[in-house]
């Protein structure tokens, strides 16, 4: 059981997933910092110097902090856009690589075809030489 678990853990997919989770968490922190420290203050300035994260409404004894929610929405939109751009770039690179691989396969096929034709011609000439 331990051996199977070790094999499972050391497979590429599990390691790739673990790396992706760590990178995603680090990326999320960067984007959160970008939103919290740069974008939110700029949006606040555009709205007349309002600090979005401190916006709240007292409701009875509770306080509804809708500014934090607005900041979280902005954070989500930026992360979504960044992931969209990354995937768009990755897909275009993947397509280019796939097209290049298809071209190589086609070239090999054409080369193989020419080699087969040359082989057939050589065999045909060898048969003719044997008859003479």
């Amino acid at each position: 059981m331990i051996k199977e678990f070790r094999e499972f853990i050391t497979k590429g997919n599990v390691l790739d997933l673990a790396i992706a989770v760590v990178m995603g968490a680090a990326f999320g922190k960067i984007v959160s910092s970008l939103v919290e420290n740069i974008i939110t203050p700029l949006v606040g300035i555009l709205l007349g110097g309002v600090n979005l994260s401190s916006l709240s409404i007292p409701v009875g004894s509770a306080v509804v902090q809708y500014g934090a929610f607005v900041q979280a929405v902005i954070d989500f939109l930026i992360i979504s856009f960044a992931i969209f751009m990354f995937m768009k770039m990755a897909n275009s690179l993947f397509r280019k690589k796939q097209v290049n691989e298809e071209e190589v396969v086609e070239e090999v096929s054409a080369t193989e075809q020419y080699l087969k034709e040359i082989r057939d011609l050589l065999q045909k000439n060898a048969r003719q030489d044997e008859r003479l």
Side-chain angles (χ1 to χ4, degrees), residues 59-77:
V59 179
S61 62
V63 177
V64 177
Q65 297 180 336
Y66 68 92
F69 174 74
V70 171
Q71 184 170 342
V73 170
I74 293 171
D75 193 7
F76 170 76
L77 292 174

Side-chain angles (χ1 to χ4, degrees), residues 35-60:
V35 170
E36 186 177 323
N37 300 318
I38 296 173
I39 293 176
T40 303
L42 292 176
V43 171
I45 290 171
L46 292 174
L47 296 176
V50 177
N51 181 1
L52 288 180
S53 62
S54 66
L55 295 177
S56 61
I57 298 174
V59 179

Side-chain angles (χ1 to χ4, degrees), residues 3-130:
K3 182 180 177 183
E4 289 179 46
F5 181 70
R6 184 178 42 217
E7 288 174 7
F8 172 75
I9 294 255
T10 58
K11 283 185 180 178
N13 294 340
V14 174
L15 293 176
D16 292 343
L17 180 61
I19 291 169
V21 168
V22 171
M23 293 296 291
F27 183 70
K29 288 180 182 179
I30 290 170
V31 173
S32 295
S33 176
L34 172 70
V35 170
E36 186 177 323
N37 300 318
I38 296 173
I39 293 176
T40 303
L42 292 176
V43 171
I45 290 171
L46 292 174
L47 296 176
V50 177
N51 181 1
L52 288 180
S53 62
S54 66
L55 295 177
S56 61
I57 298 174
V59 179
S61 62
V63 177
V64 177
Q65 297 180 336
Y66 68 92
F69 174 74
V70 171
Q71 184 170 342
V73 170
I74 293 171
D75 193 7
F76 170 76
L77 292 174
I78 291 172
I79 290 172
S80 299
F81 182 73
I83 291 171
F84 169 75
M85 293 304 294
F86 176 75
M87 292 305 299
K88 188 173 176 87
M89 181 182 66
N91 286 338
S92 69
L93 291 175
F94 179 71
R95 281 189 211 114
K96 286 180 184 178
K97 183 178 179 183
Q98 190 176 21
V99 168
N100 289 341
E101 288 174 356
E102 288 173 2
E103 289 174 359
V104 169
V105 169
E106 288 175 9
E107 289 176 13
V108 170
S109 298
T111 304
E112 287 178 4
Q113 183 64 33
Y114 291 136
L115 289 172
K116 288 177 183 178
E117 289 175 12
I118 291 170
R119 180 198 62 203
D120 294 342
L121 288 172
L122 288 172
Q123 288 176 346
K124 183 179 176 183
N125 286 342
R127 285 185 210 131
Q128 287 178 355
D129 288 343
E130 288 175 2

